[in-house]
């Protein structure tokens, strides 16, 4: 299990120490360092590889509001539920809208921008087994873990805004064939990720009241980093098909 500060001798880490350890873990294990992401941002992906990533990542995206609904059901006050439900709306669309203002719709438009049919994305056809396993693992973790652990697992959002900013610049520079409207998902998530990570971090600080709690929060965060890495492993090592094969 990951250790924080001097938690091994029973001392509670300070909030600053806990956050420092979270960020160190993220720098080491978040998927911004994955070879596939590095190649993406260097402009080295083929069109087929980029489309494969968009299709498979959509399987993860469409399950984000599912995992957030599972976390929502664990929250014990209406104030917390009213705040957390915003995350479901961010992806599914506002409750008084038609869903076109949500992240899932923006990802479908990203799919169209890279040349994928939205019906293909919605069908789930072509999603790799390793991606399905990773996504199922995350949803089930949020279903079965404690509230602290489920919320702590979302702290990968601490790193998402910088990754999104890097991705926007890389796609604009290296993949000019992608319609610009398709980048809207990344642009919106920069602000949403900062807001969501700040909220989750406050909750983790409030709920992690013992050294063991802090260890569980760190382990949940590390699990999420490993899951995102495993998802990209599946995409990176998928058998090639079509004109890019061989």
């Amino acid at each position: 299990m990951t250790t924080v500060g001097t938690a091994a001798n029973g001392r509670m880490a300070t909030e600053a120490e806990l956050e420092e350890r979270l960020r160190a873990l993220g720098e080491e294990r978040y998927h911004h360092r994955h070879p596939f992401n590095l190649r993406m941002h260097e402009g080295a992906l083929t069109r087929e590889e980029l489309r494969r990533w968009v299709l498979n990542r959509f399987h993860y995206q469409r399950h984000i509001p599912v995992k957030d609904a599972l976390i929502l059901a664990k929250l014990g006050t209406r104030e917390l539920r009213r705040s957390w439900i915003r995350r479901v709306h961010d992806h599914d669309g506002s409750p008084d809208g038609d869903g076109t203002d949500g992240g899932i719709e923006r990802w479908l438009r990203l799919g169209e921008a890279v040349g994928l049919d939205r019906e293909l994305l919605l069908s789930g056809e072509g999603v790799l087994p390793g991606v399905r396993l990773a996504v199922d693992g995350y949803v089930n973790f949020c279903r079965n873990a404690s509230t602290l652990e489920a919320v702590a697992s979302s702290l990968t959002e601490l790193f998402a805004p910088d990754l999104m900013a890097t991705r926007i610049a890389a796609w604009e520079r290296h993949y000019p064939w992608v319609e610009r409207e398709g980048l809207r998902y990344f642009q919106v998530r920069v602000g949403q990720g900062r807001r969501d990570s700040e909220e989750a971090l406050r909750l983790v600080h409030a709920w992690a009241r013992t050294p063991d709690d802090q260890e569980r929060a760190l382990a949940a965060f590390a699990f999420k980093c490993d899951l995102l890495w495993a998802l990209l492993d599946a995409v990176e090592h998928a058998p090639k098909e079509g004109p890019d094969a061989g």
Side-chain angles (χ1 to χ4, degrees), residues 16-34:
E17 288 172 335
L18 179 58
E19 184 172 349
E20 180 181 3
R21 188 65 182 115
L22 283 164
R23 292 187 180 278
L25 263 177
E27 284 296 334
E28 177 186 354
R29 295 167 73 165
Y30 186 58
H31 66 169
H32 66 314
R33 294 183 179 274
H34 193 283

Side-chain angles (χ1 to χ4, degrees), residues 178-239:
V178 178
E179 297 176 14
R180 298 299 91 180
E181 174 61 23
L183 303 183
R184 184 64 181 153
Y185 176 86
F186 306 139
Q187 294 163 347
V188 171
R189 284 306 297 171
V190 172
Q192 289 179 345
R194 290 197 178 101
R195 178 202 62 199
D196 291 349
S197 62
E198 290 170 1
E199 177 187 46
L201 189 59
R202 286 195 301 270
L203 293 175
V204 168
H205 284 321
W207 294 342
R209 297 177 178 176
T210 69
D212 284 346
D213 287 342
Q214 293 179 330
E215 294 295 316
R216 282 190 287 271
L218 281 163
F221 174 73
F223 165 79
K224 175 67 176 305
C225 288
D226 292 347
L227 182 146
L228 291 172
W229 194 280
L231 189 155
L232 277 183
D233 274 348
V235 176
E236 173 83 0
H237 300 298

Side-chain angles (χ1 to χ4, degrees), residues 4-7 10-19 208 210-211 214:
V4 180
T6 56
R11 181 180 71 81
M12 276 283 289
T14 66
E15 290 188 2
E17 288 172 335
L18 179 58
E19 184 172 349
T210 69
Q214 293 179 330

Side-chain angles (χ1 to χ4, degrees), residues 121-179:
L121 271 69
L122 289 168
S123 74
E125 182 180 350
V127 176
L128 297 162
V131 172
R132 292 185 187 277
L133 185 62
V135 172
D136 286 350
Y138 186 35
V139 171
N140 285 326
F141 180 84
C142 292
R143 177 182 291 113
N144 297 319
S146 68
T147 311
L148 169 63
E149 291 167 317
V151 170
S153 71
S154 75
L155 284 173
T156 49
E157 290 281 9
L158 287 166
F159 294 85
D162 288 344
L163 179 62
M164 295 297 170
T166 298
R167 184 166 292 156
I168 292 165
W171 282 46
E172 288 178 339
R173 178 178 180 182
H174 299 300
Y175 308 105
W177 56 273
V178 178
E179 297 176 14

